[in-house]
Amino acid sequence: MTRLTLHDDAKRRVLRVNMTYVAIFVPLLGLSAVLLLWSTAIVTSTSTWGVALAIGLLCLVLAMVPATYVLARRLADRSCVTFGDGTVTAQGWGRPKRFTAADVERVVTVDSMGFAGTAPTHHLFVVGPTKRLLVLVGQMWDREQLSALALDLAHRGVPLTPIHQPITPVQLRALDPRLVPWAQAHPVALGLLVGLGVLVVLVAVLVVVVTILL
């Protein structure tokens, strides 16, 4: 059996990427909370209540920073892929993913592709008849590790498709929709939809609060 784990430099990259995302989203969430509660305070003329609630929400938002650090460390320490007997077990955030070579329809290796604004790097995709079973990215796994898994499955009869030229998520999805979900292929559109959803929720909460307090 072969067991792949993250190297120390990969663990540091996982922490750095997650903390970078937090550094972007925490100020935006904090600003949204302040604007919402400031508007509520103006409408209801209860500035003390608004300040207290604003402080509480800001503390909750700021708590995302240490929480993200702890979760990213846990992800980096727990992440592993075990294979070698015809089965593959991948441990990440939640419950382990397990499948056999018989469940795999195709393995695709990509030499250079970036996800959601990240620097282009290598990837490995494992897909079944209807869905993606596993994706391993270069920010976490080196090329030798991905090659070991790809070759193990190929030796068991799984078709292996290497893509050596640089490619985008949209182009890869066009080759096989199972490889890249729509949300990952179109992160800008997803961000706009999420932003619109957050705005709708904030407005709805403001209307409800004003209705209750007036």
Side-chain angles (χ1 to χ4, degrees):
M1 293 292 288
T2 300
R3 186 173 186 268
L4 307 179
T5 59
L6 299 189
H7 301 315
D8 289 340
D9 58 340
K11 291 181 179 181
R12 287 190 289 269
R13 283 196 298 271
V14 170
L15 288 174
R16 184 166 57 250
V17 169
N18 281 274
M19 297 311 294
T20 298
Y21 282 131
V22 167
I24 295 173
F25 286 113
V26 163
L28 295 176
L29 292 174
L31 179 61
S32 298
V34 170
L35 290 176
L36 171 64
L37 295 169
W38 176 69
S39 301
T40 304
I42 290 178
V43 174
T44 60
S45 300
T46 55
S47 57
T48 302
W49 173 87
V51 170
L53 192 53
I55 292 175
L57 285 179
L58 286 175
C59 289
L60 183 62
V61 170
L62 292 176
M64 292 175 59
V65 177
T68 299
Y69 179 84
V70 171
L71 291 175
R73 282 294 300 269
R74 179 177 174 82
L75 170 65
D77 292 336
R78 285 168 52 90
S79 293
C80 65
V81 180
T82 305
F83 60 93
D85 63 350
T87 65
V88 178
T89 302
Q91 175 68 61
W93 280 112
R95 298 173 58 185
K97 296 180 180 179
R98 293 187 178 91
F99 54 88
T100 67
D103 300 323
V104 182
E105 185 175 282
R106 185 182 188 188
V107 176
V108 178
T109 59
V110 176
D111 285 352
S112 180
M113 185 180 71
F115 264 133
T118 59
T121 187
H122 49 282
H123 298 75
L124 180 143
F125 298 87
V126 181
V127 295
T130 60
K131 65 179 181 178
R132 188 173 74 185
L133 301 175
L134 180 68
V135 57
L136 301 179
V137 300
Q139 285 86 358
M140 298 177 64
W141 310 95
D142 61 36
R143 294 181 184 273
E144 290 74 18
Q145 290 175 319
L146 300 191
S147 295
L149 175 56
L151 291 176
D152 178 81
L153 291 172
H155 290 159
R156 300 179 190 280
V158 178
L160 172 60
T161 304
I163 299 178
H164 300 296
Q165 71 274 16
I167 195 170
T168 66
V170 174
Q171 293 170 332
L172 189 60
R173 177 174 170 79
L175 294 177
D176 189 337
R178 296 171 299 177
L179 295 172
V180 184
W182 182 90
Q184 288 184 332
H186 302 87
V188 175
L190 177 63
L192 292 175
L193 291 175
V194 171
L196 179 61
V198 171
L199 179 61
V200 170
V201 171
L202 291 177
V203 172
V205 171
L206 177 60
V207 171
V208 171
V209 171
V210 171
T211 302
I212 295 174
L213 295 179
L214 288 180

